[in-house]
Amino acid sequence: MISSTIRLIKPLAPHLIPLVVFALAIPVVIALSLSAGWFVWRSIAVGWELPLYLQYGDGPPPYAVIHLPNMLAQQPYDISLHLVVPSTDTNYALGNFMSTLTLFTPANNTLATIRRPAIVMPNSWWRSFVSPGVVVLDIPLLSEFRSTSNNVLARIELGRQDHWRSLANGEGRELSVSSALLRGVVVHKGLRGIITRFPLFTAMISSGVFLFISFVILATCLLPAIEWRFHRESNETESDDDRYTSRPIKSEWSERRRGKAPRRSRSATTPRLDSYEFKAEDDIVSIPSAASAPSPLRRRRSRLSQSSDGDE
């Protein structure tokens, strides 16, 4: 049973093997294309927003240290601080305070340091209606910051170095904060900006391009084998035909066009002269030619001359 099946499949193997390889390669190519799109989507720079947990009572002003997400090198970011503070009289009485941001690597190499002032002001009537009891502050820190390292740490400090000891009776004071966020917004510029603005569309385009290139490579690898098999079969067919034809047949029209007299091919049914025997006659009979035969006028004259000679 197995041997008969092998005998049936063996003539079709040269045609089935490329088809099977192509069919098995399609799921692999599609999976790789999807993986390429996902990788591009994950590699595109996106904005981030991290919560800050401020530490109080450690001596310096309230501070927090966080690890920033993977920042792409040479990608500009706008970094700002978002604060939500209670709308209390003590916060209003503090006046100006400082927001300090320090970016550094795990090896303690400082990348950037910035200090920005801010102040807590009472909300307007419409803002008090939207967010009663709190004051929202957005403090811009760095504009178009480009990191030279992917692994970055940030340290944020709020308050003043003198702890507002010049206020009232000179006791130390601190800013009361309900919540704090550190935001990084991607700056869209040039071709990189178009890619970062449409990450999903870019990932789909990348997946499609990878799929097209993979199919082209796969077809380039399989077509030579198929073409080689086709030429081999055609050559075998031509060699079989050449067994029955000794020389190519040239048409009369092509020979006349080149100014040659057409050559008539000897047919297989045309008898050959050397294959026959001719019987020779014993007696040679000479046949007079038409010029030597007497004409009717001469015969009449000869008869008249003979009759005249008889009468005499």
Side-chain angles (χ1 to χ4, degrees):
M1 182 65 181
I2 298 176
S3 60
S4 60
T5 305
I6 294 174
R7 284 196 301 271
L8 292 175
I9 296 177
K10 188 175 181 180
L12 300 176
H15 303 283
L16 291 178
I17 290 176
L19 182 61
V20 172
V21 172
F22 188 79
L24 293 177
I26 287 177
V28 178
V29 170
I30 293 175
L32 292 177
S33 301
L34 295 177
S35 301
W38 179 82
F39 178 77
V40 171
W41 180 75
R42 291 283 296 177
S43 301
I44 294 175
V46 293
W48 40 265
E49 187 177 87
L50 301 175
L52 300 176
Y53 302 100
L54 298 172
Q55 305 296 317
Y56 287 86
D58 291 344
Y63 71 96
V65 178
I66 59 172
H67 191 281
L68 299 183
N70 189 14
M71 299 178 66
L72 297 182
Q74 304 305 322
Q75 173 62 48
Y77 293 87
D78 286 342
I79 301 176
S80 61
L81 181 63
H82 178 79
L83 297 177
V84 178
V85 300
S87 56
T88 59
D89 294 336
T90 55
N91 282 338
Y92 296 150
L94 292 177
N96 290 325
F97 65 94
M98 301 301 294
S99 300
T100 306
L101 173 65
T102 304
L103 301 178
F104 58 96
T105 63
N108 204 20
N109 296 324
T110 302
L111 300 177
T113 300
I114 192 71
R115 289 171 60 88
R116 289 288 184 266
I119 188 172
V120 180
M121 298 291 294
N123 288 327
S124 58
W125 65 271
W126 65 270
R127 192 64 179 265
S128 299
F129 180 78
V130 175
S131 56
V134 295
V135 177
V136 179
L137 299 176
D138 288 318
I139 307 170
L141 298 175
L142 290 174
S143 177
E144 297 187 11
F145 170 73
R146 300 174 186 268
S147 177
T148 57
S149 175
N150 295 333
N151 194 3
V152 180
L153 298 173
R155 178 184 175 92
I156 300 94
E157 295 181 1
L158 296 176
R160 292 166 42 148
Q161 297 295 332
D162 60 357
H163 291 231
W164 289 281
R165 295 186 184 278
S166 60
L167 297 177
N169 298 326
E171 68 271 11
R173 299 185 180 184
E174 294 174 342
L175 179 68
S176 299
V177 179
S178 299
S179 63
L181 296 173
L182 187 65
R183 290 175 176 172
V185 180
V186 177
V187 179
H188 305 288
K189 282 188 175 181
L191 180 61
R192 188 191 295 267
I194 296 175
I195 295 174
T196 55
R197 191 180 295 272
F198 306 101
L200 183 60
F201 180 74
T202 303
M204 294 174 63
I205 292 296
S206 303
S207 181
V209 170
F210 186 89
L211 182 64
F212 175 75
I213 294 175
S214 300
F215 268 115
V216 170
I217 295 174
L218 183 62
T220 304
C221 295
L222 291 179
L223 282 180
I226 299 175
E227 186 176 0
W228 176 78
R229 175 63 60 180
F230 175 76
H231 282 300
R232 183 179 177 182
E233 292 179 354
S234 62
N235 292 334
E236 290 178 356
T237 305
E238 290 178 359
S239 62
D240 292 341
D241 294 340
D242 291 341
R243 296 176 184 176
Y244 302 99
T245 56
S246 59
R247 61 181 180 181
I249 300 174
K250 297 182 180 179
S251 61
E252 266 184 47
W253 181 83
S254 61
E255 292 182 356
R256 287 177 180 175
R257 186 175 181 181
R258 288 182 293 178
K260 297 181 180 180
R263 293 180 296 177
R264 300 184 179 276
S265 60
R266 180 179 297 174
S267 174
T269 59
T270 304
R272 298 181 58 181
L273 295 178
D274 55 357
S275 62
Y276 292 91
E277 296 180 357
F278 295 93
K279 183 179 180 181
E281 296 288 341
D282 296 335
D283 299 331
I284 299 174
V285 180
S286 60
I287 302 173
S289 61
S292 61
S295 61
L297 182 60
R298 289 181 178 179
R299 288 196 299 268
R300 187 177 180 182
R301 287 180 178 177
S302 62
R303 289 175 183 175
L304 292 176
S305 63
Q306 291 177 4
S307 61
S308 59
D309 294 337
D311 291 338
E312 293 177 357

